[in-house]
Amino acid sequence: MFMPNKDRILSASEAILEATDQMMKKDNNLILIGEGINDPKGIFGTTINLSKKYGEKRAIESPISENGITGIAIGLGINNFKVLLIHQRVEFALLSIEQIFNNAAKSFYVTNGQHNVPIVIRMIIGRGWGQGPAHSQSLETIFSYIPGLKILIPSSAYDAKGMLVSAISDPNPVIILEHRWFHYVEGVVPSNIYKSDIKKPKVISKGKDLTIVVSSYNVNEIIFCSEILKEFKIYLEIIDLRVLRPLNLNPILKSVRKTKKLIIFEIGNKTYGVGAEIIASILEKNHNIFSCPPSRVGLPDSPTPSTRGLAKKFYPNQIDIMKEIINQLNLSNEDEKLILNLLKKKSPPHDIDIPNPKFKGPF
């Protein structure tokens, strides 16, 4: 097994850029296409200079026609090319949803396996910088609903690279959902080409008191809370969901059998969210598994606000998460006060529209 260089720290955006560069160098049939790949900021730094390096025929700055470019990408995939397509906002992908759902996802099935569609679609989700109701949504549930798609949601710089390599190597369509704040998370990233598992969740912190299932940037929030709780001899078992479809419940079931308690921390809306599917699926297998009702933390039933005043109430913060943990563990009022005071002391104040400055990694 390759042992990574512990001194090599990259951000998730740098890891994505490196993976794209290495895979384009390795495979001349890999084509990059998307709106804004030649922008000076290069889609959060993930596409910088690739068109200069590989030419405009392989790194294609597309017209503003999401449905059209997605159809072209699918056609290229059917004709033995590999395609990495980028939609800078998940909302842009909504304009191509018929192509994704009816052509990319179903071609292998309706042709009885004769036509693969080796296409990877990167989409940016989540909050930040006052983007408001039309440009900061987390619509992972919509895409996770469709058979024929693989849906990935990385949280670490290591998976940012490894999952992209695995997705590009997959013969069928893969969607990677990247929280915009996730691009700034740092971690150990090997310099060689490597693959991450894209089949199941991963236990990233073992504990005996409570299982928390979390994904994407929210992993950082939970890790921060868990470090506070360790000072009170409370140990969380944290599971990074990583793969929304296919949904592999085995690591979650194994953990819940141990802790008997479960919180699911959603990136997107709580109602009709991924958490509801996980809890329902667990209860179908064993309705007596929990010692207390499982709970979910997620966005409310409202469009995403633009103003900072409303955003403070819209997005669950560390206090909200910690209160849910305290409730699940049935801690005393005195313990709750001590934990929340320590949390406030250790969490630096920061703007609601930018990532917590504590979340630098590596995680």
Side-chain angles (χ1 to χ4, degrees), residues 328-345:
Q328 276 275 337
L329 296 174
N330 196 26
L331 300 180
S332 67
N333 291 336
E334 182 180 352
D335 285 339
E336 177 177 1
K337 185 177 180 180
L338 290 171
I339 291 169
L340 293 179
N341 284 341
L342 183 59
L343 176 64
K344 292 174 183 177
K345 181 180 178 181

Side-chain angles (χ1 to χ4, degrees), residues 177-247:
L177 299 165
E178 302 164 10
H179 193 289
R180 70 179 70 217
W181 288 0
F182 153 75
H183 295 105
Y184 302 97
V185 172
E186 297 177 339
V188 175
V189 179
S191 58
N192 64 311
I193 297 176
Y194 64 90
K195 294 181 180 180
S196 288
D197 170 64
I198 56 171
K199 294 182 178 179
K200 62 182 182 297
K202 179 181 180 181
V203 178
I204 59 174
S205 179
K206 290 188 177 294
K208 60 181 176 57
D209 296 309
L210 170 65
T211 300
I212 295 191
V213 177
V214 64
S215 61
S216 190
Y217 183 81
N218 282 349
V219 169
N220 303 313
E221 299 275 13
I222 294 299
I223 289 174
F224 188 81
C225 290
S226 73
E227 293 301 315
I228 300 292
L229 290 167
K230 285 177 183 177
E231 299 194 25
F232 296 86
K233 308 301 182 184
I234 296 169
Y235 300 97
L236 306 180
E237 182 133 303
I238 304 171
I239 299 178
D240 182 358
L241 192 52
R242 300 178 69 259
V243 183
L244 302 181
R245 187 178 188 99
L247 182 59

Side-chain angles (χ1 to χ4, degrees), residues 11-23:
S11 68
S13 61
E14 290 169 335
I16 292 168
L17 175 61
E18 183 172 80
T20 307
D21 186 10
Q22 289 177 336
M23 294 302 284

Side-chain angles (χ1 to χ4, degrees), residues 89-91 94 123-128 132-144 153 177-180 215-218 244 266-274 298-299 302-304 314-315:
R89 304 282 189 275
V90 69
E91 292 84 2
L94 298 180
M123 302 180 187
I124 313 301
I125 63 172
R127 65 194 283 192
H135 290 308
S136 58
Q137 299 173 90
S138 295
L139 304 177
E140 61 272 12
T141 306
I142 293 174
F143 297 95
S144 299
I153 185 164
L177 299 165
E178 302 164 10
H179 193 289
R180 70 179 70 217
S215 61
S216 190
Y217 183 81
N218 282 349
L244 302 181
E266 303 259 8
I267 282 287
N269 293 87
K270 175 179 173 181
T271 305
Y272 295 106
V274 175
L299 304 182
S302 167
T304 308
F314 184 79
Y315 293 106

Side-chain angles (χ1 to χ4, degrees), residues 12 15 154-161 182 185-186 216 240 363:
S155 67
S156 67
Y158 182 90
D159 268 353
K161 181 176 178 178
F182 153 75
V185 172
E186 297 177 339
S216 190
D240 182 358
F363 299 118

Side-chain angles (χ1 to χ4, degrees), residues 253-271:
L253 273 167
K254 183 178 179 181
S255 178
V256 171
R257 288 191 184 105
K258 175 174 61 175
T259 66
K260 307 297 182 185
K261 298 179 180 67
L262 174 65
I263 295 175
I264 298 174
F265 186 19
E266 303 259 8
I267 282 287
N269 293 87
K270 175 179 173 181
T271 305

